[in-house]
Amino acid sequence: MVSAAAIDDSSLQLTFVLFLTVVVITLFTALLTAPQRDEISEFYLGDRAMSPLRNGLALCGDYLSAATLLGSTGLVALTGYDGLMYLGGTTVAWMTVLLLIAEPLHRTGRFTLGDTVALRLPRRQRPVRVALAVCVLAIATLYLVAQLVGSVALLTQFTGVPSGTTRTLCVVVIGVFVILYASLGGMPGATVIQIIKAVMLVAGVLFTAGWVLHRFDWNPGALLERASERSGSGLSFLEPGLRYGGTVSNKLDFLSLELAIVLGLAALPHVLMRLLTPRNAGVLRSSVVWAVGLVGAVCLGAGVLGLGATALLGRDAIESTDRTGNAAVLLLAHELGGSVLTALLTCLAYLTLLAVAVGLTLAGASSLAHDLYGGVIRRGRAGETEELTVARLSGAVIGVLGILLALVARGANTATLAFLAFAIAASAILPTIVYTLFWRRFSAKGALFSLYGGLFCSVLPAVFSPVVSSAPGSFYPEADFAWFPLQNPGIVSIPAGFLLGWLGTVLDRGPGEDPATHEEFEVRMLVGADD
């Protein structure tokens, strides 16, 4: 965090007015579109008659967080080529969803991933649903805390390091909005804010990127040349290795991070839940294509913004304000359009934080209510009104838990928390999805090994990494118990998750599933009940 305000007070005041206006409008709309009947399908899936474009916008809104607008542009501004490669991985990640996961999951799922596993492993589904709920809760909570901590980091750009009261108020206000959207609005309410956020994000990023290019007479070559001149690194700014080069550890860190991003997206709970909302696989396919295009456009625009910040402001000015680079896009906005553009992009960043947090809270609440309560505790006998009540209460509980953890983890690095969530998703949930869909022999024991083992292999290296101790930016910089050298555990935990899923299945000597069950599952996966 910076020690002094990066942006003037007028921008903060205008941001507050704009954000409050957008939140009031979207919250009112979300409540109007909220489920009016006690039907869990409406709460979990919302309006299944939406067009591919609207579904694509909702998918885009679910995925793109403030890290894309602030963190990614800052990474490009400070590291050039390496930052652009990171953005490229974000776009490529959606191809994994489109080609591997989307349609088979949609055809075999109902409300959650637990329903797909239950259809594939009906005899021993209960312990697998418990394991899935644990992993989903871990991912959703980590990512939710990252969003709430990020709201304080964003406020810091205006006020300097905020007081304890201001920090608490910021987290609590955002957290309460999250609970209202998720618990009262359900999927219809979440969809409203996701679509509005996606439209604003695409328009805002592309408009500002166009303004940057206009300053350089629409000549990308001139932009790149000026950015390299003012980066302090010369042509090295446009070559790989400025951040993730040099030592073997740095290169492995980059590979580990890219693996977590590319593979983790396909297993993020709120993205998986959104894949179940289109009415049929054809609409889903078109929706994901729209999402790929929209995410790619935002990432392209973010790259231009990062380069533009370096070209117009210089790396020294950005680092002197915020060494992480998160202030780059706000400083650029102030340079281009003064307080008005700064306020617009800051409002957009807060709306982005809020929208992603709502999706995460809803996904966590759905897993707790449908998988844990409905499928395990009540063994499928819970009425719709009963399960809906539990889902709403679960949303409130997860929201409160996120608020409390965000207040405790006030100095946490938001990017680290988010990327750890990606690593857990890629290490625990993705192997379970892939094996469930595509391996005939896969068993419940293999699923448990993959889920719990992937979670353990993600969290343990992270605890004993430079993220927690031994480095200046660690949680405990004074201590030194970091034996794992990388910032992200993905390069170790993802192969471990797949290996453990295979090992658990091979070692499983219990009674297998009825072969007819897998044949029925396979037909449904390939053909679907709605196509």
Side-chain angles (χ1 to χ4, degrees):
M1 290 187 179
V2 293
S3 58
I7 313 297
D8 55 78
D9 289 340
S10 61
S11 296
L12 177 61
Q13 295 166 2
L14 186 54
T15 297
F16 177 76
V17 173
L18 289 173
F19 178 69
L20 191 61
T21 302
V22 172
V23 166
V24 168
I25 294 173
T26 55
L27 185 57
F28 180 70
T29 307
L31 294 177
L32 285 180
T33 59
Q36 302 300 316
R37 299 164 294 179
D38 292 336
E39 294 184 3
I40 56 174
S41 61
E42 191 177 357
F43 183 85
Y44 292 144
L45 301 180
D47 180 12
R48 305 198 74 191
M50 290 198 306
S51 67
L53 175 57
R54 291 174 64 194
N55 273 308
L57 285 167
L59 277 167
C60 175
D62 260 319
Y63 175 65
L64 290 175
S65 68
T68 306
L69 181 61
L70 302 178
S72 298
T73 53
L75 190 60
V76 173
L78 298 181
T79 65
Y81 182 93
D82 285 1
L84 293 173
M85 286 294 292
Y86 164 78
L87 284 172
T90 301
T91 306
V92 170
W94 277 97
M95 302 308 296
T96 308
V97 177
L98 176 62
L99 299 176
L100 186 66
I101 297 297
E103 291 185 46
L105 181 66
H106 180 273
R107 289 178 174 135
T108 58
R110 187 182 176 210
F111 300 136
T112 65
L113 177 59
D115 292 329
T116 297
V117 176
L119 187 64
R120 172 68 174 78
L121 305 168
R123 288 182 179 175
R124 292 184 285 174
Q125 60 169 289
R126 294 178 67 224
V128 180
R129 282 188 185 266
V130 172
L132 276 169
V134 170
C135 291
V136 167
L137 185 61
I139 295 166
T141 303
L142 274 173
Y143 214 165
L144 175 60
V145 171
Q147 304 307 307
L148 296 177
V149 172
S151 68
V152 177
L154 186 56
L155 182 65
T156 300
Q157 309 301 336
F158 296 90
T159 63
V161 177
S163 64
T165 302
T166 303
R167 183 187 300 111
T168 301
L169 184 62
C170 180
V171 170
V172 170
V173 168
I174 298 294
V176 169
F177 281 137
V178 168
I179 293 172
L180 291 175
Y181 278 106
S183 295
L184 299 182
M187 182 60 79
T191 300
V192 168
I193 190 172
Q194 299 297 4
I195 291 177
I196 292 174
K197 165 262 187 96
V199 171
M200 292 179 63
L201 184 63
V202 173
V205 169
L206 293 185
F207 172 78
T208 310
W211 198 336
V212 169
L213 290 173
H214 177 69
R215 290 284 292 265
F216 291 90
D217 298 322
W218 299 95
N219 184 349
L223 171 61
L224 291 170
E225 182 179 353
R226 184 68 179 276
S228 65
E229 289 175 359
R230 303 203 64 185
S231 67
S233 304
L235 291 178
S236 297
F237 184 74
L238 304 179
E239 297 173 353
L242 195 59
R243 172 171 177 145
Y244 296 109
T247 66
V248 174
S249 178
N250 281 345
K251 294 176 181 178
L252 288 176
D253 232 337
F254 179 69
L255 177 59
S256 185
L257 178 60
E258 287 295 302
L259 280 174
I261 292 172
V262 171
L263 300 179
L265 168 62
L268 288 176
H270 58 306
V271 174
L272 291 176
M273 190 172 179
R274 180 68 64 179
L275 294 177
L276 300 174
T277 58
R279 62 179 178 272
N280 58 53
V283 174
L284 172 65
R285 191 182 313 119
S286 300
S287 301
V288 178
V289 170
W290 270 110
V292 172
L294 292 167
V295 170
V298 172
C299 288
L300 178 63
V304 173
L305 294 183
L307 294 171
T310 305
L312 295 175
L313 301 168
R315 176 172 175 165
D316 290 342
I318 296 171
E319 278 196 315
S320 64
T321 303
D322 186 350
R323 61 182 177 80
T324 66
N326 286 336
V329 69
L330 302 181
L331 294 171
L332 174 65
H334 202 267
E335 172 71 17
L336 293 174
S339 298
V340 175
L341 185 60
T342 305
L344 286 171
L345 290 185
T346 307
C347 173
L348 182 54
Y350 270 115
L351 186 62
T352 301
L353 286 166
L354 178 61
V356 172
V358 170
L360 291 163
T361 303
L362 181 60
S366 300
S367 183
L368 289 179
H370 187 66
D371 290 328
L372 190 59
Y373 181 80
V376 177
I377 297 176
R378 295 285 286 143
R379 298 175 181 264
R381 296 191 297 267
E384 292 202 357
T385 302
E386 180 184 354
E387 185 173 323
L388 183 59
T389 301
V390 174
R392 295 186 191 279
L393 290 174
S394 297
V397 169
I398 292 173
V400 171
L401 177 63
I403 291 172
L404 295 176
L405 291 177
L407 292 175
V408 172
R410 63 185 184 183
N413 186 300
T414 57
T416 299
L417 293 174
F419 293 146
L420 178 57
F422 271 75
I424 295 173
S427 306
I429 294 182
L430 183 63
T432 304
I433 296 174
V434 172
Y435 285 145
T436 297
L437 296 176
F438 304 114
W439 189 16
R440 174 183 290 268
R441 193 179 166 189
F442 189 54
S443 69
K445 190 171 186 178
L448 294 175
F449 270 48
S450 182
L451 290 165
Y452 287 126
L455 177 61
F456 179 79
C457 291
S458 300
V459 174
L460 182 66
V463 170
F464 294 99
S465 74
V467 170
V468 177
S469 70
S470 77
S474 302
F475 286 113
Y476 305 106
E478 305 292 331
D480 185 4
F481 48 85
W483 50 260
F484 186 74
L486 306 181
Q487 299 277 335
N488 189 282
I491 197 171
V492 173
S493 61
I494 295 172
F498 279 94
L499 178 62
L500 288 168
W502 170 82
L503 183 63
T505 300
V506 170
L507 296 176
D508 194 350
R509 297 290 182 255
E513 299 291 340
D514 185 351
T517 299
H518 181 270
E519 291 176 6
E520 180 183 346
F521 177 85
E522 194 170 40
V523 170
R524 184 183 180 96
M525 181 183 71
L526 296 174
V527 179
D530 52 6
D531 293 343

